[in-house]
Amino acid sequence: MSVPPRIGFIGLGIMGRAMALNLVKAGFQVSVYNRTRQRTTEFADLGCQTASTPRALAKMCDLVITMVADNAAMDAVMEGPEGVISAFAGGNTLINMSTLSPDYTAALAKKCYTAGVGFLDCPVSGSKGAAEKAQLVLLAAGEKPLLEKLSPVLKAMSRAIIYAGQPPAGTALKLCVNLVVAQLTTALAEAAALAEAQGIAPALVFEALEKNPVMNCGYFALKKDNILNKDFPPAFPLKHMLKDARFMLAEAAKKKMELPVTAAVESLLSKSYNSGYGEKDLSVILSNLTEPLR
Ligand code: NAP
């Protein structure tokens, strides 16, 4: 990367804000766009340019990075007369780091290649804390020389980059990793609920897991306070894991296979979402297990 790219960052939510701040800290020239304009203020205070539309942002930059909620959010920032695609010229690059569906990602890659735009499919593993500490694990797919060229940018947000192949392989890998995260979360919540129902302190479940070297998992530590205090400030909002669980099931259905435990997890997440908990951390599923049955 002889000349550092001018980076345009789209999506300053829980993850994107922290990732963009790390790019600024690393010394990159970063401009930002966010649907809710107020979230760009702290970046303006740091000397970053802010754009009023995704198109205006893309016009200012060589490299656009997206970290938005879902396929619909990606459509909103990419498509139409004010979208990123309308401003793309050959030589630009797009790195998508949001978790979208594999089909959406494959179609996006095709659109970019047709327009002469480089594309990396690069979702992330790790939550709010890892994003803040630039300790994300990136699940990358795309042309290797492009990945290598842009690795200084990616390294400013991460501790490791795992190369998965061509798009949508990064997204496919992300869904497999999140399948484990979803099931670990439900396992913790069900264990805590069962402990409580039997008159055992849920803290003892954590203690027993922590004392056993083969069961002592960093993810359990990450969710411990949420489960024990029944307080669920959003690190990974439940609505995003519900979206991912549905992507997993759709992929499995396409391959004519079943994921019975993931299907059960999806219905638990749906129930929680329908209880109005979509914006809370996904560990909020505990509430649906401990609230009395109606
Ligand atoms: P978030 O806090 O909900 O932020 C979502 C971002 O998308 C915000 O900037 C939001 O803009 C924007 N957005 C949503 N709908 C939009 C629309 N229709 N048009 C334009 N912009 C829109 O989400 P997050 O936790 O940062 O997650 C972002 C992505 O990373 C998701 O795909 C998620 O699955 C994935 N992910 C999250 C985590 C995690 O632990 N949180 C970990 C790994 C991967 P506003 O500010 O205007 O709402």
Side-chain angles (χ1 to χ4, degrees), residues 198-228:
Q198 296 178 103
I200 301 164
L204 294 179
V205 175
F206 282 92
E207 194 181 339
L209 293 170
E210 283 158 15
K211 290 279 192 280
N212 183 340
V214 299
M215 299 297 284
N216 188 11
C217 165
Y219 186 73
F220 297 162
L222 199 65
K223 298 300 171 191
K224 182 175 173 178
D225 285 350
N226 296 14
I227 300 276
L228 296 185

Side-chain angles (χ1 to χ4, degrees), residues 120-204:
L120 294 178
D121 162 31
C122 194
V124 312
S125 173
S127 198
K128 185 174 183 246
E132 286 168 352
K133 294 185 203 108
Q135 290 292 301
L136 293 168
V137 174
L138 308 187
L139 312 170
E143 295 300 328
K144 263 199 161 168
L146 183 64
L147 181 65
E148 272 155 29
K149 185 175 140 198
L150 293 174
S151 70
V153 175
L154 297 173
K155 282 180 180 161
M157 300 181 276
S158 66
R159 64 185 320 222
I161 303 172
I162 297 178
Y163 182 66
Q166 294 305 318
T171 294
L173 177 58
K174 166 68 185 169
L175 294 185
C176 300
V177 172
N178 262 18
L179 182 151
V180 175
V181 174
Q183 296 196 7
L184 283 180
T185 315
T186 48
L188 273 185
E190 285 198 354
L194 183 62
E196 197 176 286
Q198 296 178 103
I200 301 164
L204 294 179

Side-chain angles (χ1 to χ4, degrees), residues 10-17 33-37 39 67-70 72-74 76-77 97-100 123-128 136 174 178 234-237 239-241 243-244 279 281:
I10 300 185
L12 304 171
I14 294 172
M15 299 295 284
R17 170 185 176 269
Y33 167 82
N34 195 67
R35 176 182 63 175
T36 306
R37 193 78 198 261
R39 286 189 163 160
M67 190 56 172
V68 295
D70 50 21
M74 195 66 177
V77 301
M97 306 188 81
S98 338
T99 310
L100 310 174
V124 312
S125 173
S127 198
K128 185 174 183 246
L136 293 168
K174 166 68 185 169
N178 262 18
F236 186 6
K239 63 180 180 182
H240 294 326
M241 186 56 103
K243 150 186 75 76
D244 295 353
E279 303 296 331
D281 188 76

Side-chain angles (χ1 to χ4, degrees), residues 251-270:
E251 286 305 297
K254 269 200 280 176
K255 306 289 177 211
K256 304 213 177 318
M257 65 181 287
E258 282 184 40
L259 298 175
V261 180
T262 304
V265 168
E266 190 275 339
S267 67
L268 201 51
L269 291 165
S270 282

